[in-house]
Amino acid sequence: MYKKFLNLTKNLTVSLEKGLNFLTMQENNPLYFHGALPLYTFWFLIFSGIMLWMYYIPTLDRAWTSVNYITSLPVFMKDAAGNLLLKNGNPVVAAISPATGIPYGAVVRGIHRWGAAAMMITTVLHMLRVYFTDRHRAWRWLPWVSGVLLLIFVLFVGITGYLLVWDARAYYLVVASQRWLEAVPLIGQSLSTFFIGGDAIRDFTLTRFFFFHIGGATFIFWLIWMHFIRLHEPVVTPSRAVNFLTLGFILVAAGAFPAVNVTKELIQQFPVLIGDQGYIASDAPAQIGFLVEKIRYDAWYLFPYYLIEKVGVNWAWIILGLATILLFVAPFYPKDRRDNIAEVIDAKCTGCTFCSLDCPFEAITMQERAPGSKFKLIAVVQDARCSECGICVGACPFQAIELPNTHSKTIDGDVLALLKTGA
Amino acid sequence: MSEMTEKKPRVIVGFICERSIPIHEMIDAQKALTDDPETKIIILPCSGMVKPTQMELALANGADATFVCGCAINDCHYRTGNIMIRERLEGTRNPKLRKNTDKRKVGMFFFTMKDKRPFLDALALFKASTENL
C-alpha cells in the first residue's frame, strides 16, 4: 500500500519534470538540481548576512534603529499626479526619511529576506522530491536524517532572524516562544530562561538571539557536511543557467520589494509613501509589555506560531513533534530485502581503487592487505551503505567485484544466448 | 526485383537500466522489444553496471549494434550511474571501450520512465545510422 503510494508519487514527479523539460531543456531543469539549490541560496544569505552584521546592534534600544538605519532609503515626496515635488530644483525628501542610511541597504536586506524564503522553498522542494522518488530509504538514511535536522535548523535560524529586527512582531514571537517552551514538562521554565538569557528580556536577550542566528547558521555548515558524507561527489551547484535564473529571481524580488521599515502607522501618517513603501519587513519598534493582538505570518518560517495561535501550545507540540518523528523514521520503513549486496573476490582484486572511486554512496573503502601479498590494497564493501546498483561492477576491469544475483558471467551468458536465438 | 529481396534480419543488443524506461512492460518472453523484435534486451539494476567489455562481447559475437539506456541525465536513481557509463563509452573514464571497437555501433540513451515513445524513436534513428556499417 505504502509502496504503491511511493510509486504513484514517483510517477507524478517524473511527469511534472518531463513537462518542465519542454520549457527549460533537460540540462537546465531546476528540479534536477533540487539538492544544490538550497545550498546555492544559502550563500546569498551568508554574504548578505555578513553585510547586515556590519551595522546591526543587538541591544534592546538600538536593534530596531540599527535595522532602520541599514534599510532607510530616501523617500521623495510626490504630488497627486505622481510627479516629484521639487524645491530649488531638488526633490523634496519626506519628513520621515532619515538623512543617512546605507546605500542599497534595503536591497541587501531584501536579498537576505527573499533569499531566506528561497532557501526554505527549495529545501522543502528537495525533501519532497527525494521522498516522492523513493530516494530516502535504507542506505540513504544518513542524508535523510541529516536533511531533517537541516530543515529544523533552517527553520530555527529563520525564526531567530525575525527576532533580531526587534519590532512588535519580534516581541510577540518571543512571548509565544516562551509560552511554547514553558509547556514542556519539568524543564520548560529552564528552557524559557535559557531562550531569553535570564529571567527577563534584557540586552542579553538580543545578544543571545544574535548568537542563535549566527551560531545556527554556522551549525548548518556542519550538518551539510554530514548530509554529504556518504555521497560521492555531491552536486553542490546547479547548472549555470539555473544559477543565473535563481540569482535573477532573488535580485528582482529584492529590488522590486526591498525590505524596509516603513510601518503601517507611518503610511497612514504619510499616504504619499504608499507608492514607495517596498516590502514592509518590520513593524513598529517592540515595546516590552505591549503585545500586539495579531502579527503578519510568514508562510515559510512562522507557521509554528500560526499553529500555536490556532490550536494552543500543547497541540502545537503534539502536531509538530509527531511530524518530526515521522520524518526521522521515514527512511527505515518499509524495509526491502537486501540480498544483492556487492561482494569482492579477494583473489582477483588488484587494489586499483576504481570501484571505490566510482561508488556513489561511499560504500567501498580500500584497505591494506597483509604484508607479503601480491597486491597492496583490497576493496572492502560496507554492506549497510551498499545500494546494490552494480556501478562498482561496471567500474572493475578485473571482474573482482560482483552482485551475487546479477553476476557478470550470467550477463555475458545472457548476451551470447540472445545472439544465438537471433532475430 | 531488389526491392522484393528480404532484408537480412539484424540483431541489436540493448543494456537497459530497469529504472529508466518501463522496460519490463516493453519486452516479450524472448527478451525482445515487442515494438522491435530485432532488439534484444538485457535488464540491469543501473546503467552504470554495464561493462564496456560486455558491449564488445555482443559486437564480437554477431550483434550488428549495441546500446545502453539509463535514467535521464542528472536524474540517475543511484546518483551517478548514467554519467559513469556515458564517460566510459566516451573514453573519459576507466574502464573504456577498446580502441579498435567501432564506436559507431555503440549507442547510448538516457530516458525517464515516461519516455517509452521517445526511446523507441531514438532507437529507430540509431538503428538506421548503423544499417550500412
Side-chain angles (χ1 to χ4, degrees):
Chain A
M1 179 72 182
Y2 181 56
K3 278 242 176 162
K4 275 186 183 169
F5 167 74
L6 287 178
N7 276 337
L8 176 72
T9 55
K10 184 175 183 181
N11 259 295
L12 291 172
T13 310
V14 174
S15 299
L16 174 71
E17 287 167 357
K18 196 165 144 54
L20 200 57
N21 278 345
F22 279 109
L23 284 177
T24 61
M25 308 288 283
Q26 187 169 316
E27 58 271 27
N28 291 317
N29 187 336
L31 295 178
Y32 291 146
F33 298 101
H34 52 97
L37 276 170
L39 181 56
Y40 180 62
T41 52
F42 190 41
W43 289 116
F44 286 88
L45 296 172
I46 295 295
F47 290 120
S48 58
I50 288 171
M51 291 168 85
L52 296 173
W53 189 354
M54 290 182 194
Y55 294 95
Y56 178 69
I57 306 168
T59 59
L60 291 182
D61 58 336
R62 305 289 296 277
W64 193 92
T65 321
S66 65
V67 174
N68 198 42
Y69 177 77
I70 293 167
T71 57
S72 293
L73 291 168
V75 178
F76 301 115
M77 300 290 278
K78 291 177 182 173
D79 62 17
N83 301 313
L84 281 177
L85 285 178
L86 298 175
K87 188 177 178 184
N88 300 330
N90 296 316
V92 180
V93 177
I96 62 142
S97 180
T100 56
I102 308 300
Y104 301 102
V107 176
V108 173
R109 189 175 166 208
I111 292 171
H112 205 63
R113 192 255 169 276
W114 294 114
M119 184 167 183
M120 184 51 100
I121 292 168
T122 51
T123 302
V124 171
L125 272 179
H126 172 49
M127 202 162 205
L128 288 175
R129 210 286 187 168
V130 166
Y131 178 79
F132 285 164
T133 51
D134 196 10
R135 294 177 188 182
H136 63 292
R137 291 189 298 126
W139 65 93
R140 283 170 155 130
W141 74 268
L142 186 59
W144 177 267
V145 169
S146 56
V148 176
L149 286 171
L150 274 166
L151 181 70
I152 292 169
F153 268 85
V154 168
L155 190 65
F156 175 71
V157 172
I159 290 170
T160 52
Y162 277 102
L163 306 182
L164 292 180
V165 292
W166 202 235
D167 60 352
R169 176 166 59 178
Y171 179 62
Y172 178 99
L173 293 174
V174 172
V175 174
S177 303
Q178 284 186 281
R179 277 178 51 219
W180 203 38
L181 292 170
E182 282 162 11
V184 178
L186 300 175
I187 56 166
Q189 192 58 48
S190 305
L191 285 175
S192 174
T193 307
F194 172 74
F195 178 64
I196 61 166
D199 54 0
I201 294 173
R202 298 194 182 93
D203 282 342
F204 277 134
T205 308
L206 276 185
T207 313
R208 180 147 302 195
F209 293 163
F210 200 33
F211 166 74
F212 285 154
H213 194 63
I214 308 284
T218 310
F219 188 63
I220 282 176
F221 274 111
W222 186 82
L223 285 173
I224 288 172
W225 173 73
M226 283 296 285
H227 200 54
F228 287 164
I229 199 166
R230 294 225 183 136
L231 303 178
H232 182 68
E233 293 180 5
V235 181
V236 294
T237 180
S239 71
R240 196 171 292 180
V242 175
N243 275 347
F244 280 118
L245 200 66
T246 313
L247 174 73
F249 271 128
I250 293 175
L251 290 184
V252 166
F257 304 102
V260 295
N261 269 13
V262 182
T263 63
K264 286 173 193 167
E265 292 74 20
L266 289 173
I267 292 167
Q268 280 169 357
Q269 200 179 343
F270 299 98
V272 71
L273 294 177
I274 286 174
D276 296 322
Q277 62 179 289
Y279 173 79
I280 302 172
S282 308
D283 294 323
Q287 292 177 49
I288 293 173
F290 176 71
L291 204 58
V292 288
E293 285 179 15
K294 285 223 169 283
I295 60 165
R296 291 171 294 115
Y297 284 106
D298 174 287
W300 304 109
Y301 288 95
L302 299 183
F303 65 87
Y305 296 91
Y306 183 76
L307 203 60
I308 291 171
E309 187 192 306
K310 292 294 168 195
V311 300
V313 284
N314 291 329
W315 276 107
W317 268 121
I318 292 168
I319 293 168
L320 293 173
L322 275 177
T324 308
I325 290 168
L326 283 177
L327 284 175
F328 274 122
V329 300
F332 305 105
Y333 299 97
K335 285 191 189 302
D336 290 329
R337 204 173 61 181
R338 285 166 58 73
D339 56 1
N340 209 16
I341 289 169
E343 291 174 354
V344 177
I345 299 145
D346 292 10
K348 290 185 179 178
C349 180
T350 64
C352 71
T353 73
F354 285 179
C355 58
S356 172
L357 291 174
D358 283 2
C359 175
F361 299 104
E362 302 282 352
I364 302 174
T365 51
M366 302 305 300
Q367 293 184 6
E368 294 268 342
R369 281 184 186 263
S373 301
K374 186 177 175 187
F375 301 109
K376 195 177 172 192
L377 299 172
I378 184 169
V380 176
V381 178
Q382 299 190 45
D383 292 2
R385 297 185 189 180
C386 179
S387 66
E388 306 174 23
C389 63
I391 291 175
C392 52
V393 179
C396 181
F398 308 105
Q399 305 210 347
I401 190 163
E402 296 287 353
L403 299 186
N405 299 340
T406 324
H407 203 283
S408 296
K409 278 187 183 164
T410 315
I411 297 168
D412 291 353
D414 287 349
V415 170
L416 296 175
L418 286 176
L419 289 167
K420 209 172 270 182
T421 54
Chain B
M1 281 297 286
S2 62
E3 283 172 13
M4 293 177 67
T5 310
E6 273 195 24
K7 277 168 67 177
K8 187 187 164 217
R10 304 173 70 215
V11 189
I12 315 293
V13 175
F15 297 86
I16 299 194
C17 155
E18 63 181 349
R19 292 181 185 269
S20 58
I21 54 170
I23 190 61
H24 289 287
E25 57 193 62
M26 293 169 68
I27 55 173
D28 61 21
Q30 279 72 48
K31 295 184 180 173
L33 281 181
T34 46
D35 287 274
D36 177 10
E38 289 182 343
T39 303
K40 312 289 186 181
I41 300 299
I42 302 281
I43 300 176
L44 294 166
C46 175
S47 59
M49 189 180 175
V50 179
K51 288 173 181 281
T53 52
Q54 286 165 336
M55 304 183 89
E56 288 163 354
L57 179 79
L59 292 175
N61 285 275
D64 295 284
T66 180
F67 69 90
V68 62
C69 178
C71 298
I73 294 295
N74 296 330
D75 195 32
C76 173
H77 185 80
Y78 295 108
R79 299 190 55 243
T80 54
N82 49 10
I83 303 286
M84 298 285 175
I85 188 61
R86 185 173 73 175
E87 291 179 357
R88 283 175 197 147
L89 297 183
E90 284 173 347
T92 56
R93 177 180 287 275
N94 284 318
K96 305 166 186 172
L97 285 168
R98 286 198 190 103
K99 289 226 164 86
N100 61 356
T101 303
D102 188 347
K103 293 180 183 65
R104 296 172 300 175
K105 294 182 177 179
V106 178
M108 50 182 160
F109 313 116
F110 301 100
F111 288 111
T112 71
M113 59 196 282
K114 295 281 176 189
D115 287 331
K116 180 181 170 182
R117 193 68 252 165
F119 162 74
L120 290 171
D121 293 344
L123 177 61
L125 278 176
F126 171 65
K127 280 181 69 179
S129 74
T130 59
E131 203 153 14
N132 298 316
L133 297 178

